């Protein structure tokens, strides 16, 4: 968005053209590469099949914002058209050709990336994509916030349930913070009315907005979000009493309601609530109780909810401690009950692999399953017990950190991150039990899950296993990933991800080690989608199954090393397997100790084992056969002068 910016020539002002040709010298690229700065200023570029997300209206700057249909960070860019607006509308699919630019040229501290002097060709109409939901803490507004804010420049974003805290900037702008934090630090985001006509009245400090969405950009010395039309701003009632700012299911018969201020006893009066789904079925409210000491969260026990219908919770006359009550009726809509995973994961169509839940306005869903893996510190994967296709999903941004084997219920918002379906802005995680057997792994083939496979989307987020693969390539360039194939069709390969640390038994101390090309192995892990590629991500070394002798590998991998691997499962009840490796036929000791250092079980005592990987099981009992209590235990391997010790957890 550029103010009072004109491109003049000897004959007048450049305008946006609607045409059907592409400059021959243009580089065909995408918004991501333009935003990343791959193409220098002045490069002729063409981006195809992007969607118009906004139109810049005033005071004298005219242009459009376009975005890759998959969305995500770095996916949007400004198309500057001079003083005459283009004839395309929000939701149109267009091809754009022009030259890359930064405005202002050499600006300080930040500039806006653009395509200037464009030719725009409309190729269809899809409708505006769902905005990316973020918290104010994910954005900020000053130049110091650029590390987290800059990647969202030009992207269609959404804030939900925010409260006005500052109206001092002028020009109809105002600053907001979270009314209910979605797991991120609270920070101010500024909202500008530049793209709205007519300009709405300036809100008051303390006003609460249910939704603010629009284009994110840098202008006039700070970042801000620009709503594109009046429907992008939804304001809630008076600021003083408790406002209903969020609601979601916690079970088939439970709903949690969040208020932005402390409630009095009326907050747990069931006569102040009404629950109905989109089939017009009224769901009874049985009881209500406060879920936190501040009396801002209310747990409702309900009748059975339909788990694929939107449900709407309404409240009225909920008062604060001074007796001030809310407006007569406030409502929040969400998917009722616990949603089947297939319902969240299923794509919109064969041409659009994003969840068909997106864009419905009812993206808050609740799912239940077993944690099958973790990658980033704030990401884990949940899969339903029956396993199979369409049964897993990634959970991103939770403050609660469950571990593998935990049974959990999770509520959050469905999102697409670079075409990967996930739950984000996590509002609720309940751990029901730990040490559960994992669903799967389902045995799949490379052809089922590789990039481009029709069936690959159905396995996204699931725990899967590949049998009898061969290492094909160790030069993917994706942060240490490598590829495998089935030994039949060399073009059918699958990336093996390395978000988690795992060790090879012939090099347990290596952190940047690739398996040798031609090595045969079986592996398992989470089926994921990152950097535009399908892949399986082993979680630990126990997810890689090697031949038991070097001679079985085809190619010599190097010197076989001594190593002790993490037991699987861990935590466990009542049985776990311990894997270890020795470089040559050796006599080994394998013993289990409690936290006080007392030996409680001898699994191997001077037994001779063959070179390679071996497995020994422990049933959680002492040498005398007594069941040991829940707790932390250590297992130690000795072979000659080599010793290794690792920790495991027994949960009864």
């Amino acid at each position: 968005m550029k103010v009072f910016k004109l491109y003049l020539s000897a004959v007048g002002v450049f305008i946006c053209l609607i045409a059907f040709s592409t400059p021959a010298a243009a580089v065909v690229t995408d918004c991501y590469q333009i935003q990343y700065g791959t193409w220098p200023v002045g490069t002729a570029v063409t981006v195809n099949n992007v969607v118009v997300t906004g139109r810049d209206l005033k005071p004298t700057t005219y242009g459009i914002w376009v975005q890759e249909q998959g969305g995500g960070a770095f996916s949007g860019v400004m198309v500057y058209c001079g003083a005459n607006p283009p004839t395309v509308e929000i939701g149109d699919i267009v091809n754009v050709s022009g030259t890359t630019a930064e405005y202002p040229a050499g600006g300080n501290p930040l500039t806006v990336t653009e395509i200037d002097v464009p030719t725009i060709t409309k190729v269809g109409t899809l409708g505006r994509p769902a905005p990316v939901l973020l918290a104010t803490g994910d954005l900020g507004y000053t130049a110091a916030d650029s590390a987290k804010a800059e990647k969202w420049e030009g992207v269609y974003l959404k804030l939900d349930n925010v409260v006005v805290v500052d109206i001092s900037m002028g020009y109809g702008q105002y600053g907001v913070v979270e009314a209910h934090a979605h797991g991120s630090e609270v920070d101010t985001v500024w909202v500008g009315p530049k793209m709205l006509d007519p300009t709405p009245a300036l809100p008051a400090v303390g006003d609460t907005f249910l939704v603010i969405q629009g284009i994110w950009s840098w202008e006039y010395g700070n970042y801000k979000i620009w709503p594109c039309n009046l429907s992008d701003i939804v304001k809630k009632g008076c600021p003083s009493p408790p406002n209903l700012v969020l609601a979601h299911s916690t079970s088939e018969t439970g709903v949690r309601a969040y208020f932005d201020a402390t409630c009095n006893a009326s907050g747990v009066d069931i006569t102040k609530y009404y629950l109905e789904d989109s089939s017009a079925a009224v769901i009874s409210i049985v009881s209500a109780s406060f879920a936190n000491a501040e009396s801002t969260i209310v747990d409702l026990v309900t009748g059975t909810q339909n788990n694929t219908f939107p449900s709407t919770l309404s409240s009225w006359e909920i008062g604060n401690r001074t007796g001030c009550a809310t407006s007569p009726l406030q409502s929040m809509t969400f998917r009722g009950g616990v949603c089947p995973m297939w319902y969240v994961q299923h794509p919109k169509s064969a041409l659009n692999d994003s969840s068909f839940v997106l864009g419905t306005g009812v993206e808050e869903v609740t799912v239940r399953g077993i944690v099958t893996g973790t990658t980033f510190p704030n990401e884990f994967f949940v899969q339903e017990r029956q396993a199979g296709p369409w049964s897993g999903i990634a959970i991103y941004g939770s403050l609660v950190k469950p571990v593998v084997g935990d049974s959990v219920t999770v509520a959050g918002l469905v999102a697409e991150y670079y075409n990967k379906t996930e739950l984000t802005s996590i509002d609720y995680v309940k751990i029901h039990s730990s040490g559960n057997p994992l669903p799967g792994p389902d045995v799949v083939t490379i052809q089922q899950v590789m990039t481009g496979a029709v069936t690959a989307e159905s396995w996204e987020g699931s725990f899967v296993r590949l049998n009898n693969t061969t290492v094909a390539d160790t030069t993917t360039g994706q942060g240490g990933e490598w590829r495998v194939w089935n030994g039949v069709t060399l073009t059918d390969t699958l990336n093996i991800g390395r978000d988690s640390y795992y060790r090879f038994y012939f090099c347990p101390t290596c952190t940047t080690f690739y398996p040798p090309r031609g090595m045969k192995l079986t592996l398992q892990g989470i089926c994921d989608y990152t950097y535009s590629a399908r892949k399986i991500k082993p979680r630990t070394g126990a997810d890689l199954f090697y031949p038991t002798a070097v001679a079985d590998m085809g190619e010599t991998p190097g010197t076989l090393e001594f190593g002790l691997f993490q037991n699987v499962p861990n935590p466990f009840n009542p049985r776990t397997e311990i894997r270890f490796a020795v470089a040559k036929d050796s006599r080994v000791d394998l013993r289990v100790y409690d936290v006080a250092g007392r030996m409680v079980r001898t699994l191997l005592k001077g037994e001779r084992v063959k070179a390679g990987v071996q497995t020994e099981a422990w049933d959680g009992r002492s040498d005398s056969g007594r069941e040991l209590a829940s707790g932390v235990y250590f297992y130690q391997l000795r072979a000659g002068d080599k010793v290794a010790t690792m920790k495991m957890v027994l949960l009864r």
Side-chain angles (χ1 to χ4, degrees):
M1 293 166 281
K2 311 295 163 291
V3 180
F4 302 109
K5 178 185 173 187
L6 299 176
Y7 285 99
L8 301 178
S9 69
V11 295
V13 181
F14 283 100
I15 63 173
C16 279
L17 304 174
I18 303 299
F20 297 92
S21 63
T22 299
V27 175
V28 179
T29 184
D30 55 30
C31 295
Y32 301 107
Q33 297 301 319
I34 294 173
Q35 280 287 8
Y36 268 120
T38 300
W39 309 112
V41 169
T43 302
V45 295
T46 294
V47 292
N48 292 323
N49 298 312
V50 289
V51 60
V52 179
T53 54
R55 286 168 51 91
D56 198 10
L57 298 177
K58 60 185 180 181
T60 59
T61 306
Y62 295 90
I64 59 174
W65 295 91
V66 298
Q67 182 175 310
E68 300 290 337
Q69 294 183 44
F74 301 106
S75 66
V77 70
M78 172 69 179
V79 179
Y80 177 70
C81 300
N84 294 288
T87 59
V88 292
E89 300 293 337
I90 292 175
D92 285 346
I93 303 299
V94 297
N95 298 338
V96 178
S97 294
T99 56
T100 58
E102 293 287 336
Y103 182 79
N108 186 25
L110 293 174
T111 61
V112 177
T113 304
E114 302 178 347
I115 300 175
D116 282 359
V117 197
T119 298
I120 301 173
T121 305
K122 178 180 175 180
V123 296
T125 299
L126 180 65
R128 189 162 57 162
V132 178
L133 178 67
L134 296 175
T136 57
D138 298 328
L139 295 170
Y141 71 98
T142 69
D145 297 317
S146 63
K148 57 183 177 180
E150 184 67 9
K151 63 185 178 182
W152 299 111
E153 179 190 287
V155 179
Y156 181 41
L157 302 182
K158 175 181 177 180
L159 304 174
D160 69 346
N161 298 306
V162 292
V163 61
V164 178
V165 294
D166 195 342
I167 57 174
S168 65
M169 188 174 286
Y171 302 103
Q173 301 174 94
Y174 50 96
V176 299
V177 299
E178 296 284 328
H180 167 71
H182 281 303
S184 298
E185 73 275 21
V186 174
D187 203 347
T188 303
V189 163
W190 283 87
V191 184
K194 178 182 177 181
M195 297 170 70
L196 298 177
D197 191 12
T199 300
L202 186 69
V205 172
D207 282 358
T208 300
F209 288 88
L210 176 65
V211 171
I212 294 178
Q213 57 195 30
I215 307 299
W216 181 252
S217 187
W218 172 270
E219 186 170 327
Y220 290 136
N222 68 284
Y223 290 99
K224 54 181 68 74
I225 190 170
W226 301 102
C228 301
N229 49 54
L230 294 177
S231 64
D232 280 342
I233 304 176
V234 181
K235 187 177 180 182
K236 288 190 75 71
C238 74
S240 298
N243 292 290
L244 180 64
V245 295
L246 179 70
H248 60 74
S249 293
T250 57
S251 68
E252 293 84 351
T253 57
V255 170
R256 177 163 283 191
Y258 299 79
F259 294 88
D260 62 0
T262 298
C263 303
N264 61 19
S266 61
V268 290
D269 181 352
I270 62 173
T271 67
K272 304 295 186 182
Y273 297 93
Y274 179 81
L275 184 62
E276 182 180 71
D277 67 30
S278 61
S279 70
V282 178
I283 303 164
S284 61
I285 307 291
V286 179
S287 63
S289 59
F290 287 120
N292 65 336
E294 293 79 17
S295 300
T296 58
I297 303 176
V298 178
D299 279 336
L300 303 172
V301 177
T302 74
T304 301
Q305 304 161 47
N306 188 309
N307 62 13
T308 57
F309 280 2
S311 292
T312 299
L313 177 71
S314 299
S315 67
W316 57 88
E317 297 178 350
I318 304 294
N320 61 18
R321 288 175 177 172
T322 64
C324 177
T326 58
S327 59
L329 184 68
Q330 295 187 343
S331 299
M332 295 296 297
T333 302
F334 51 92
R335 295 284 164 178
V338 176
C339 290
M341 209 72 78
W342 67 264
Y343 184 82
V344 181
Q345 274 283 14
H346 236 69
K348 290 179 180 294
S349 69
L351 301 177
N352 187 336
D353 69 355
S354 63
S355 168
F356 73 78
V357 174
L358 286 176
T360 63
V362 198
E363 288 87 4
E364 183 84 30
V365 304
T366 302
V367 299
R368 182 182 298 152
I370 307 296
V371 177
T372 55
T374 61
T375 54
F376 300 104
N378 54 356
E379 181 182 48
F380 59 93
F381 293 84
V382 172
Q383 189 167 352
E384 291 170 322
R385 290 181 183 273
Q386 75 275 11
W390 308 111
S391 66
I393 197 168
I395 310 295
Y396 183 80
S398 170
L399 293 178
V400 178
K401 310 296 183 187
V403 299
V404 173
D406 283 353
S407 172
V408 297
T409 296
V410 181
L413 287 141
V414 180
E416 289 289 329
Y417 186 73
Y418 291 103
N419 296 320
K420 171 183 172 180
T421 305
E422 60 186 16
L423 256 59
T424 63
S425 300
I426 304 303
D427 299 300
Y428 176 82
V429 177
K430 182 176 178 59
I431 300 175
H432 303 288
S433 60
S434 299
N436 295 280
L438 303 189
D442 287 294
V443 176
V444 296
T445 65
I446 291 175
Q447 287 79 5
Q448 285 179 300
V449 296
M450 68 183 189
T451 303
V454 175
T455 55
E457 179 79 10
S458 66
W459 295 104
E460 186 177 88
S462 296
F463 182 34
V464 300
R465 180 182 177 110
L466 281 176
N467 290 328
N468 304 318
T469 66
T470 302
V471 178
D473 182 14
T474 59
T475 58
T476 68
Q478 299 291 350
E481 293 180 0
W482 37 286
R483 292 189 182 98
V484 296
W485 68 303
N486 62 3
V488 178
T489 308
L490 188 56
T491 56
D492 291 351
T493 62
L494 179 69
N495 284 26
I496 306 302
R498 293 198 64 178
D499 279 355
S500 298
Y501 173 66
Y502 48 82
R503 296 183 298 183
F504 297 94
Y505 75 87
F506 43 82
C507 188
T509 60
C510 291
T511 58
T512 58
F513 187 82
Y514 292 99
R517 187 172 181 272
M519 177 182 176
K520 302 182 186 302
L521 76 165
T522 290
L523 59 90
Q524 61 189 27
I526 306 300
C527 192
D528 204 1
Y529 183 78
T530 59
Y531 297 106
S532 301
R534 301 284 177 187
K535 61 201 64 177
I536 290 178
K537 291 182 177 177
R539 304 157 306 166
T540 68
D543 280 337
L544 302 172
F545 304 93
Y546 311 99
T548 57
V550 179
D552 295 334
M553 294 184 184
E555 291 187 8
T556 303
T559 304
L560 193 65
E561 297 286 347
F562 171 89
L564 181 62
F565 305 133
Q566 185 65 58
N567 64 302
V568 178
N570 185 45
F572 70 97
N573 178 25
R575 185 180 185 277
T576 189
E577 292 185 348
I578 298 169
R579 299 173 69 241
F580 61 92
V582 290
K584 58 184 179 180
D585 291 1
S586 307
R587 292 191 181 277
V588 301
D589 294 331
L590 181 61
R591 293 185 171 94
V592 180
Y593 299 83
D594 63 17
V595 291
R598 297 183 294 261
M599 187 182 69
V600 295
R601 182 69 178 269
T602 299
L603 299 174
L604 296 172
K605 183 179 180 181
E607 274 87 342
R608 188 174 185 82
V609 297
K610 292 183 178 181
V613 177
Q614 309 296 334
T615 301
E616 194 67 26
W618 183 44
D619 59 3
R621 295 177 181 271
S622 68
D623 281 333
S624 64
R626 178 174 57 88
E627 285 190 350
L628 296 176
S630 297
V632 175
Y633 293 86
F634 297 88
Y635 55 103
Q636 185 179 84
L637 175 70
R638 289 179 177 270
D641 60 350
K642 297 181 182 295
V643 180
T645 304
M646 294 195 73
K647 181 173 66 175
M648 57 185 166
V649 178
L650 171 61
L651 292 177
R652 294 292 187 187

